[in-house]
Short mmCIF file of all heavy atoms in Angstrom, two decimals:
data_model
loop_
_atom_site.label_atom_id
_atom_site.label_comp_id
_atom_site.label_asym_id
_atom_site.label_seq_id
_atom_site.Cartn_x
_atom_site.Cartn_y
_atom_site.Cartn_z
N ARG A 7 153.68 69.10 144.90
CA ARG A 7 154.37 70.21 144.23
C ARG A 7 153.36 71.19 143.63
O ARG A 7 153.55 72.40 143.69
CB ARG A 7 155.31 69.67 143.15
CG ARG A 7 156.56 69.03 143.71
CD ARG A 7 157.59 68.75 142.63
NE ARG A 7 157.09 67.87 141.59
CZ ARG A 7 157.14 66.54 141.62
NH1 ARG A 7 157.67 65.94 142.65
NH2 ARG A 7 156.68 65.82 140.63
N VAL A 17 149.88 83.58 147.46
CA VAL A 17 150.52 84.53 148.39
C VAL A 17 151.12 85.69 147.60
O VAL A 17 150.97 86.86 148.00
CB VAL A 17 151.60 83.82 149.25
CG1 VAL A 17 152.49 84.83 149.95
CG2 VAL A 17 150.94 82.90 150.26
N CYS A 27 147.49 69.72 155.97
CA CYS A 27 147.97 68.46 155.40
C CYS A 27 148.49 67.53 156.50
O CYS A 27 148.74 67.98 157.61
CB CYS A 27 149.07 68.73 154.38
SG CYS A 27 150.53 69.54 155.06
N LEU A 34 158.82 67.11 161.39
CA LEU A 34 158.24 68.36 160.91
C LEU A 34 157.44 69.03 162.01
O LEU A 34 156.85 68.37 162.87
CB LEU A 34 157.32 68.08 159.71
CG LEU A 34 158.01 67.59 158.44
CD1 LEU A 34 156.97 67.15 157.42
CD2 LEU A 34 158.89 68.70 157.86
N ARG A 47 149.93 71.15 159.97
CA ARG A 47 150.02 69.69 159.80
C ARG A 47 149.30 68.98 160.94
O ARG A 47 149.41 69.36 162.09
CB ARG A 47 151.48 69.25 159.78
CG ARG A 47 152.26 69.80 158.61
CD ARG A 47 153.68 69.24 158.59
NE ARG A 47 154.47 69.85 157.54
CZ ARG A 47 155.23 70.92 157.70
NH1 ARG A 47 155.34 71.50 158.88
NH2 ARG A 47 155.92 71.40 156.68
N LYS A 49 148.48 64.99 162.66
CA LYS A 49 149.12 63.69 162.83
C LYS A 49 148.75 62.76 161.68
O LYS A 49 147.59 62.64 161.31
CB LYS A 49 148.71 63.07 164.16
CG LYS A 49 149.39 61.74 164.42
CD LYS A 49 149.01 61.20 165.79
CE LYS A 49 149.39 59.76 165.89
NZ LYS A 49 150.46 59.35 166.58
N ASN A 50 149.76 62.12 161.12
CA ASN A 50 149.58 61.13 160.05
C ASN A 50 149.55 59.75 160.70
O ASN A 50 150.56 59.29 161.21
CB ASN A 50 150.74 61.25 159.06
CG ASN A 50 150.52 60.47 157.81
OD1 ASN A 50 149.47 59.89 157.59
ND2 ASN A 50 151.53 60.43 156.97
N PHE A 51 148.38 59.13 160.73
CA PHE A 51 148.24 57.83 161.38
C PHE A 51 148.70 56.71 160.46
O PHE A 51 148.66 56.85 159.24
CB PHE A 51 146.78 57.62 161.80
CG PHE A 51 146.35 58.54 162.89
CD1 PHE A 51 145.83 59.80 162.60
CD2 PHE A 51 146.47 58.17 164.21
CE1 PHE A 51 145.45 60.66 163.60
CE2 PHE A 51 146.08 59.03 165.23
CZ PHE A 51 145.57 60.28 164.93
N HIS A 52 149.13 55.60 161.04
CA HIS A 52 149.65 54.48 160.25
C HIS A 52 148.96 53.18 160.60
O HIS A 52 149.58 52.13 160.65
CB HIS A 52 151.17 54.36 160.46
CG HIS A 52 151.92 55.55 159.99
ND1 HIS A 52 152.11 55.85 158.67
CD2 HIS A 52 152.50 56.57 160.68
CE1 HIS A 52 152.79 56.98 158.55
NE2 HIS A 52 153.04 57.44 159.77
N LEU A 60 139.16 58.20 159.33
CA LEU A 60 138.35 58.91 160.34
C LEU A 60 139.20 59.86 161.18
O LEU A 60 138.84 61.03 161.37
CB LEU A 60 137.63 57.91 161.24
CG LEU A 60 136.47 57.15 160.62
CD1 LEU A 60 136.03 56.02 161.54
CD2 LEU A 60 135.32 58.09 160.31
N LEU A 64 139.10 64.03 161.13
CA LEU A 64 138.77 64.77 162.35
C LEU A 64 139.84 65.81 162.65
O LEU A 64 139.53 66.97 162.96
CB LEU A 64 138.58 63.82 163.53
CG LEU A 64 138.28 64.50 164.86
CD1 LEU A 64 137.00 65.33 164.79
CD2 LEU A 64 138.18 63.46 165.96
N MET A 65 141.10 65.42 162.54
CA MET A 65 142.21 66.36 162.81
C MET A 65 142.16 67.54 161.83
O MET A 65 142.33 68.69 162.24
CB MET A 65 143.55 65.64 162.71
CG MET A 65 143.69 64.42 163.59
SD MET A 65 143.93 64.80 165.30
CE MET A 65 145.63 65.20 165.31
N LEU A 68 139.28 69.94 162.65
CA LEU A 68 139.57 70.81 163.79
C LEU A 68 140.43 72.00 163.37
O LEU A 68 140.21 73.13 163.81
CB LEU A 68 140.24 70.01 164.91
CG LEU A 68 139.35 68.96 165.59
CD1 LEU A 68 140.18 68.10 166.55
CD2 LEU A 68 138.19 69.61 166.30
N LEU A 70 140.61 73.29 160.27
CA LEU A 70 139.78 74.15 159.41
C LEU A 70 138.80 74.98 160.24
O LEU A 70 138.59 76.16 159.95
CB LEU A 70 139.01 73.31 158.39
CG LEU A 70 139.84 72.77 157.23
CD1 LEU A 70 139.05 71.72 156.46
CD2 LEU A 70 140.27 73.91 156.31
N LEU A 84 140.22 71.82 147.98
CA LEU A 84 140.39 70.40 148.29
C LEU A 84 141.25 69.78 147.20
O LEU A 84 140.94 69.90 146.02
CB LEU A 84 139.02 69.71 148.35
CG LEU A 84 139.00 68.21 148.55
CD1 LEU A 84 139.56 67.84 149.92
CD2 LEU A 84 137.58 67.67 148.39
N PRO A 91 135.36 64.61 153.94
CA PRO A 91 134.56 64.79 155.15
C PRO A 91 135.01 65.99 155.99
O PRO A 91 134.17 66.67 156.60
CB PRO A 91 134.76 63.48 155.92
CG PRO A 91 135.07 62.49 154.85
CD PRO A 91 135.89 63.25 153.84
N HIS A 105 142.96 65.83 140.60
CA HIS A 105 144.19 65.39 139.93
C HIS A 105 144.09 64.00 139.34
O HIS A 105 144.84 63.67 138.43
CB HIS A 105 145.37 65.43 140.92
CG HIS A 105 145.59 66.77 141.50
ND1 HIS A 105 146.31 67.75 140.86
CD2 HIS A 105 145.16 67.34 142.65
CE1 HIS A 105 146.32 68.85 141.59
NE2 HIS A 105 145.62 68.62 142.68
N LEU A 125 141.77 39.52 151.56
CA LEU A 125 142.31 40.87 151.38
C LEU A 125 141.80 41.49 150.08
O LEU A 125 141.60 42.70 150.01
CB LEU A 125 143.83 40.86 151.43
CG LEU A 125 144.43 40.63 152.82
CD1 LEU A 125 145.96 40.59 152.75
CD2 LEU A 125 143.99 41.72 153.80
N GLN A 130 138.39 45.59 147.63
CA GLN A 130 137.21 45.99 146.84
C GLN A 130 136.30 46.89 147.66
O GLN A 130 135.77 47.88 147.17
CB GLN A 130 136.43 44.77 146.36
CG GLN A 130 136.84 44.27 144.99
CD GLN A 130 136.83 45.37 143.96
OE1 GLN A 130 137.86 45.97 143.65
NE2 GLN A 130 135.68 45.68 143.40
N ALA A 133 137.98 50.27 147.94
CA ALA A 133 137.91 50.99 146.65
C ALA A 133 136.50 51.50 146.38
O ALA A 133 136.32 52.63 145.90
CB ALA A 133 138.38 50.08 145.52
N ALA A 143 132.40 64.21 146.77
CA ALA A 143 133.22 65.43 146.70
C ALA A 143 133.02 66.14 145.37
O ALA A 143 132.84 67.37 145.33
CB ALA A 143 134.70 65.10 146.91
N GLU A 149 132.92 74.22 142.95
CA GLU A 149 133.52 74.12 141.62
C GLU A 149 134.53 72.98 141.62
O GLU A 149 135.10 72.65 142.65
CB GLU A 149 134.27 75.41 141.24
CG GLU A 149 133.41 76.64 141.12
CD GLU A 149 132.56 76.68 139.88
OE1 GLU A 149 132.91 76.00 138.88
OE2 GLU A 149 131.54 77.40 139.88
N LEU A 151 138.06 71.97 139.65
CA LEU A 151 139.14 72.42 138.76
C LEU A 151 139.92 71.19 138.31
O LEU A 151 140.16 70.29 139.10
CB LEU A 151 140.09 73.36 139.51
CG LEU A 151 139.46 74.52 140.27
CD1 LEU A 151 140.49 75.18 141.15
CD2 LEU A 151 138.85 75.50 139.31
N VAL A 153 143.46 69.86 136.01
CA VAL A 153 144.75 70.35 135.53
C VAL A 153 144.94 70.07 134.03
O VAL A 153 145.87 70.57 133.43
CB VAL A 153 145.92 69.74 136.33
CG1 VAL A 153 145.88 70.22 137.78
CG2 VAL A 153 145.93 68.23 136.28
N SER A 157 142.21 64.89 132.60
CA SER A 157 141.61 64.77 133.92
C SER A 157 140.11 65.04 133.92
O SER A 157 139.36 64.46 134.67
CB SER A 157 142.29 65.72 134.91
OG SER A 157 143.61 65.32 135.14
#
Side-chain angles (χ1 to χ4, degrees):
R7 286 191 301 272
V17 166
C27 61
L34 293 171
R47 297 184 185 92
K49 182 177 166 104
N50 191 6
F51 292 88
H52 297 287
L60 287 169
L64 178 59
M65 305 285 281
L68 293 172
L70 285 168
L84 175 65
H105 302 277
L125 287 178
Q130 268 308 97
E149 296 285 338
L151 310 169
V153 295
S157 292

